[in-house]
Structure formats: C-alpha cells, structure tokens
Amino acid sequence: LFAVVNNRSFYYFVPMSINSSNSTNLFNSGALNFAHRGFTANAPENTLGAIQAAIELGVDGIEFDVSICKSGEVVVFHDASLERMTDGKGMVKDLTFSELRQFKIKTGTGPTTEVIPTFEEVLELVDEHHKLGISKQLSRVYKNYIEHHMDAKL
C-alpha cells in the first residue's frame, strides 16, 4: 500500500503477492536500499540513533515499526510489549507516552541513553528524499489513524 501525504512518500509494508501491481510501484526506479529499523549495527533498532546512522549511510529509505500508545501518540517501536527492547514492563498500548518515555532502550549489554521516539521525531530527522517504510499489519482503522496523524504533522 502506498500513500503520498503533503508531497512525502510513505510505504506501508503489508503482505502481498510478488505479482501484485502494488508491489512493483515501489521499485519503478530500480532497487532501493532500505535500512530495516534503521542502521542497527550502530544503534538499537527503531531508535533515533539508528535512523540517523542510516541517513548518514545514504540509504534510499528507512523501514520502521509504529504503534499507538494509550495517550494517542504514534510511537516508533516494534514489539507490543516493552520487555525485549526496554528496561520497562507492560504493553505499549496500555501506557501513556509520558510513561513510555521513562524507559531506556536496551541492548545485550544493558540500557542505553536511547528512548522510544515518536513518529514526529523520526519525521524531523528525514528529508523529502528518504522513503519511509512504516511496518505493521495495519487494520483499516489503524492505517487511517496514522495517515490522519501524518497529515496533521507534516
């Protein structure tokens, strides 16, 4: 599924057939180099550090994951629960953004200084040349909410 909002390109990665007409639109200009969850060799996945590192590498686009927290903000985080990637516990959907922001992203060696970013913070890092892959199996309501949120922020 492809969307253009305020002259910015957004790609929602959803399962589709290789033969689907939608799947070829993304690659009309040839293969694109996407950083999956940012440049994760340099910083934890889906963090501003990983996204900034991917930009510095010169990628065409960045794929990241989004969720909506209890207070309604769109946050960039892969898992439904916090335990794998943060020093916190609980479900993203059950906590407010203020609560989520208290937790530090962790790696195999422990907590880092990175926090869960908002979708808006990611948009501030990228420019109009970067394609954004927003990854989630989005229901129609969830997809419409994010598109509305993007339109309001851009």
Side-chain angles (χ1 to χ4, degrees):
L1 176 62
F2 171 75
V4 176
V5 179
N6 291 346
N7 297 320
R8 292 293 306 276
S9 299
F10 296 90
Y11 300 94
Y12 298 99
F13 293 121
V14 294
M16 66 176 74
S17 165
I18 292 298
N19 296 325
S20 166
S21 61
N22 287 339
S23 65
T24 58
N25 290 338
L26 180 60
F27 302 102
N28 281 345
S29 62
L32 299 174
N33 181 14
F34 268 76
H36 181 246
R37 299 182 190 164
F39 182 37
T40 57
N42 205 47
E45 68 183 56
N46 286 320
T47 61
L48 295 178
I51 292 166
Q52 182 63 46
I55 290 167
E56 291 169 6
L57 277 177
V59 299
D60 297 310
I62 302 163
E63 178 276 342
F64 54 89
D65 304 276
V66 294
S67 296
I68 300 172
C69 65
K70 184 178 181 178
S71 53
E73 289 85 356
V74 178
V75 295
V76 178
F77 197 74
H78 177 268
D79 300 354
S81 66
L82 297 169
E83 287 79 6
R84 180 179 72 91
M85 287 299 303
T86 76
D87 59 358
K89 294 186 186 304
M91 303 295 282
V92 172
K93 69 179 181 66
D94 294 334
L95 297 168
T96 66
F97 179 67
S98 296
E99 292 168 326
L100 290 173
R101 201 55 165 224
Q102 295 175 25
F103 304 123
K104 300 294 183 206
I105 302 293
K106 66 181 182 182
T107 64
T109 59
T112 67
T113 59
E114 295 273 5
V115 294
I116 297 172
T118 64
F119 181 67
E120 186 175 290
E121 289 171 320
V122 170
L123 290 180
E124 290 173 11
L125 283 181
V126 298
D127 64 31
E128 67 276 2
H129 302 294
H130 292 104
K131 293 164 179 48
L132 302 180
I134 304 168
S135 183
K136 276 292 187 206
Q137 290 194 11
L138 303 173
S139 70
R140 183 177 307 277
V141 171
Y142 192 76
K143 182 183 88 56
N144 289 343
Y145 179 87
I146 289 183
E147 284 178 346
H148 172 74
H149 202 78
M150 286 188 302
D151 200 29
K153 298 295 181 188
L154 294 177

